[in-house]
Amino acid sequence: MSTHLTTVAGVAVDTRHFIGGERIASTETFTDVSPIDGSVLAEISRGTAMEAAAAVAAAKAAFPAWAATPRAERARLLHAIADGVERRLEELALVETTDNGALLRSHRRGVMPRVAHNFRFFANWLLELDHEDFTTRGHTNHVTWDPAGPCVLITPWNAPLMLATWKVAPALAAGDTVVLKPAEWSPLTASLLADIAAEAGLPAGVLNVVQGYGSEVGDPLTAHPDVRRISFTGSVPTARHIAASAAANLTPLSLELGGKSPLLVFADADLDLAAGLAVEQYDNAGQVCLAATRILVEAPVAEEFTRRFTEKAAALRQGDPREESTDIGPTIHPRQLEKIDGFVRRALEAGARAVIGGHRGEGQYYVPTLLTDVRQDSEIVQEEVFGPVLTLQTFEDEDEAVRLANDTRFGLAATVATGDAERAARVTARLVAGTVWVNCFFVRDLKAPFGGSRHSGVGREGGTWSFDFYCDVKNTVTAPKGFKDHG
């Protein structure tokens, strides 16, 4: 077996970059470790400015032919990639779980099928993308979506392949070429995606994968003058750095950043439903940007809500994510575990009370935690923890609920639990959030716009919004006369 192949959960994964249709090794590597047991999975090629330049050059060279490829052919190739994902769904699920610690059952049943759906959805949307012509003083306006050029896509570690393909699929459908940089804590399924795309017949250079650290390979990618779009999902500090890097070239950005989303529980809500929604926020060990980590409960029902919540939380099983019965897996990395623990320790020292949890488990696990007696201006309420840590506060009326919900620098999502449809309409209209769920959570459709307000991001993606970003939207205005008759 090649020294550049590693076997993860019985699946062979190439540890090299994928540039211009070829596997390219770097002189140095970085170590990829499983969060499940701390075992070393692979030594991954560690990209530098040289690999960044090569990847952008390959994407630039491939762009004219790919941009000129008819929509139907681009759509066919995206469906072929989806077919490849479905054929290798079990392998992808096993590798992803081993690499990032999320539940195997979720990868099998939801996440990897969604990866395939990302490609199919944008392939189909491409074929339907249209804007009706309209007239201005007899002149015809015709709107088109023209491919923009090479794109740099930088993706996170909490749902690596699903969130990568949420960007890759619309960019390819739009006629752009792509340089994908996966997170260094979970790079393996991006490498498998490169194989799948090549097997599907995607032309060389249309999809490139470069691995490594942001400071070493991400910076030269985002600062490259030939890059026409940058899409990033991750933290606010990193987004600021990327935006500054892109500013010199005025490269358009799409940023999906953190959240500190509220769950508002009104006294007229179905409390069992509301408690279930709250416990659902522990999904993926709390490593979900959309998670409603701030639970706001109307005071008269706070005690009963807490009782129901703790009962449901007690039924959760934390352990090996490869086991069917596990509900909560490990934290992705020792550094992230230390960050989570630091947030909770400081909150407890400041007077917070742990209703449940409040401490580490064994290994790389953090026990699901609910903190109460927290101040609105405290760090634990204002800053994103990105772990299985929730806070509970009470409110007296609708105005206070909205004020508390909106009182952070974020605005990614919000959830409302109420039995009053009129109240739901009033409250949702006042909430600052890109997505609001009422009596439900995490119901998402690719046709809907997705993104955040305030420090939770810039721009919207999904449906036509994705094509608006990944394309140069053009309007052609034609006079009613002036053409010569060649008949």
Side-chain angles (χ1 to χ4, degrees):
M1 179 177 288
S2 167
T3 57
H4 298 297
L5 289 178
T6 188
T7 301
V8 177
V11 181
V13 184
D14 202 307
T15 60
R16 295 171 292 181
H17 312 287
F18 187 76
I19 299 173
E22 297 181 357
R23 288 291 179 176
I24 306 294
S26 294
T27 56
E28 295 187 18
T29 63
F30 64 93
T31 304
D32 184 31
V33 176
S34 175
I36 299 173
D37 55 13
S39 61
V40 174
L41 299 178
E43 293 297 325
I44 307 292
S45 279
R46 182 171 169 175
T48 65
M50 182 174 67
E51 287 85 2
V56 174
K60 182 179 180 181
F63 173 68
W66 181 244
T69 300
R71 285 189 181 189
E73 176 61 9
R74 294 206 302 265
R76 185 192 69 79
L77 286 167
L78 264 63
H79 279 295
I81 295 172
D83 292 341
V85 169
E86 289 172 348
R87 281 193 299 269
R88 302 189 66 179
L89 190 146
E90 179 68 10
E91 294 180 2
L92 292 166
L94 287 166
V95 171
E96 190 104 300
T97 289
T98 307
D99 200 18
N100 90 323
L103 300 184
L104 180 58
R105 74 181 192 211
S106 296
H107 282 142
R108 283 171 169 160
R109 299 172 190 172
V111 177
M112 295 308 161
R114 168 63 184 271
V115 168
H117 178 62
N118 284 344
F119 284 103
R120 297 201 190 282
F121 173 87
F122 286 106
N124 293 336
W125 199 267
L126 169 65
L127 298 180
E128 299 174 4
L129 187 65
D130 190 28
H131 190 294
E132 185 177 349
D133 289 353
F134 57 98
T135 59
T136 304
R137 299 190 301 277
H139 296 65
T140 301
N141 293 264
H142 179 66
V143 177
T144 55
W145 285 262
D146 295 352
C151 300
V152 167
L153 311 179
I154 302 176
T155 54
W157 45 259
N158 59 323
L161 191 58
M162 193 274 283
L163 291 177
T165 56
W166 163 241
K167 300 176 186 295
V168 170
L172 295 182
D176 295 340
T177 51
V178 166
V179 179
L180 170 64
K181 195 207 89 66
E184 60 269 23
W185 287 352
S186 56
L188 298 180
T189 49
S191 181
L192 293 176
L193 176 64
D195 293 336
I196 291 169
E199 292 164 4
L202 195 70
V206 173
L207 173 63
N208 307 274
V209 178
V210 179
Q211 302 152 151
Y213 297 110
S215 60
E216 297 175 352
V217 72
D219 285 356
L221 284 173
T222 56
H224 202 292
D226 290 334
V227 171
R228 295 292 175 260
R229 295 290 187 275
I230 299 171
S231 182
F232 168 72
T233 297
S235 71
V236 172
T238 302
R240 287 196 182 104
H241 183 79
I242 290 172
S245 180
N249 300 309
L250 295 178
T251 309
L253 293 167
S254 174
L255 303 173
E256 195 272 280
L257 309 178
K260 196 68 180 176
S261 302
L263 164 57
L264 288 68
V265 180
F266 289 92
D268 58 16
D270 178 332
L271 292 186
D272 205 48
L273 169 67
L277 292 174
V279 170
E280 201 174 336
Q281 309 310 311
Y282 291 131
D283 183 50
N284 201 22
Q287 299 168 136
V288 179
C289 59
L290 292 164
T293 56
R294 295 184 298 130
I295 304 172
L296 308 175
V297 186
E298 196 163 359
V301 297
E303 183 176 347
E304 177 62 17
F305 170 86
T306 304
R307 184 186 69 79
R308 297 192 190 203
F309 173 89
T310 53
E311 285 181 358
K312 290 180 183 294
L316 295 173
R317 182 178 182 276
Q318 188 167 33
D320 191 323
R322 296 166 295 193
E323 296 180 5
E324 183 73 15
S325 59
T326 298
D327 299 303
I328 301 178
T331 302
I332 181 73
H333 192 275
R335 205 158 75 211
Q336 184 66 16
L337 180 65
E338 183 61 35
K339 177 185 173 185
I340 295 166
D341 192 47
F343 270 113
V344 175
R345 282 189 286 105
R346 290 189 296 274
L348 294 173
E349 290 166 2
R353 178 173 64 88
V355 178
I356 61 171
H359 57 86
R360 300 183 190 214
E362 294 183 6
Q364 218 161 283
Y365 293 77
Y366 201 87
V367 176
T369 295
L370 176 66
L371 301 176
T372 190
D373 298 339
V374 293
R375 299 190 321 273
Q376 178 64 21
D377 63 354
S378 64
E379 177 192 56
I380 196 68
V381 171
Q382 292 293 324
E383 299 298 326
E384 185 178 44
V385 177
F386 221 65
V389 178
L390 310 179
T391 60
L392 189 149
Q393 300 166 269
T394 61
F395 61 84
E396 296 297 332
D397 56 30
E398 204 171 285
D399 286 341
E400 186 181 18
V402 172
R403 179 180 62 78
L404 292 173
N406 288 339
D407 188 22
T408 74
R409 62 193 173 105
F410 298 102
L412 187 57
T415 303
V416 177
T418 178
D420 185 335
E422 292 183 358
R423 166 176 279 153
R426 287 195 306 270
V427 170
T428 57
R430 298 172 65 190
L431 292 174
V432 179
T435 301
V436 181
W437 288 285
V438 179
N439 294 329
C440 61
F441 176 67
F442 219 57
V443 179
R444 289 184 58 187
D445 193 308
L446 286 177
K447 294 191 295 290
F450 178 74
S453 304
R454 296 175 175 168
H455 284 200
S456 286
V458 175
R460 295 292 184 270
E461 294 189 59
T464 301
W465 289 276
S466 286
F467 288 95
D468 288 345
F469 173 70
Y470 288 109
C471 292
D472 289 325
V473 183
K474 178 193 296 179
N475 184 42
T476 301
V477 184
T478 304
K481 55 187 177 180
F483 293 115
K484 294 181 180 179
D485 185 0
H486 295 288

